[in-house]
Amino acid sequence: MRGWLGGIRLSGFMVIMLGLVVLAAFVLVPTVGTYLDQRRQIAALERSVQLTREQIEELESERERWTDPAYITTEARERLYYVRPGEVVYLVDNDLPPEDVPQEQGAVSDEVERTRTDWMSQLIRSVTEAGLATSVSDPG
């Protein structure tokens, strides 16, 4: 080992070059990190732009649909149950599948129960606290 180290000669030029390499490493490492962070940000922004473009396309297609009178008529019939004069509409009741039918609620009790708190005192306390609260003044 000592023989190998003894065989290395360091000249002034070699020391300067080694110092420049170390200096370059200290200068470039943070720059490369910043570059990689910026590339990630650019990729995220490009994805955001692509999603926004897709949303714009969907909204434009929906706007085009709403210019069609047949679509407007269909939506008015389905959503608002509009009909033309002279038409007869039949609404089907109980057309839900069994799993979507709301469950029956329990019977309502005939007994009057007492509340655990006095609602009147809470109401008065709430009103007085709201009246005594300090309001923020507008600085402008």
Side-chain angles (χ1 to χ4, degrees), residues 50-65:
Q50 181 61 31
L51 289 173
T52 304
R53 285 185 179 150
E54 291 172 0
Q55 289 174 344
I56 289 172
E57 290 173 3
E58 290 175 8
L59 291 173
E60 286 176 347
S61 68
E62 186 174 340
R63 183 180 65 188
E64 289 175 12
R65 280 185 294 197

Side-chain angles (χ1 to χ4, degrees), residues 50-99:
Q50 181 61 31
L51 289 173
T52 304
R53 285 185 179 150
E54 291 172 0
Q55 289 174 344
I56 289 172
E57 290 173 3
E58 290 175 8
L59 291 173
E60 286 176 347
S61 68
E62 186 174 340
R63 183 180 65 188
E64 289 175 12
R65 280 185 294 197
W66 279 102
T67 59
D68 182 18
Y71 181 76
I72 294 172
T73 302
T74 304
E75 289 297 310
R77 286 174 176 264
E78 289 178 3
R79 291 185 185 183
L80 304 174
Y81 302 112
Y82 279 15
V83 294
R84 294 181 188 261
E87 287 183 340
V88 177
V89 177
Y90 297 99
L91 292 177
V92 179
D93 195 17
N94 296 329
D95 63 338
L96 295 175
E99 59 271 2

Side-chain angles (χ1 to χ4, degrees), residues 11-24:
S11 65
F13 177 74
M14 197 136 173
V15 169
I16 291 174
M17 292 313 276
L18 185 61
L20 286 176
V21 167
V22 170
L23 180 65

Side-chain angles (χ1 to χ4, degrees), residues 19-31:
L20 286 176
V21 167
V22 170
L23 180 65
F26 279 123
V27 170
L28 291 178
V29 167
T31 306

Side-chain angles (χ1 to χ4, degrees), residues 101-134:
V101 174
Q103 299 298 321
E104 294 295 327
Q105 296 181 353
V108 177
S109 173
D110 291 336
E111 300 174 15
V112 177
E113 295 183 13
R114 291 190 63 130
T115 58
R116 295 187 180 154
T117 59
D118 183 18
W119 65 271
M120 186 56 126
S121 64
Q122 285 185 342
L123 175 68
I124 292 172
R125 188 177 327 125
S126 175
V127 169
T128 54
E129 286 177 4
L132 296 176
T134 59

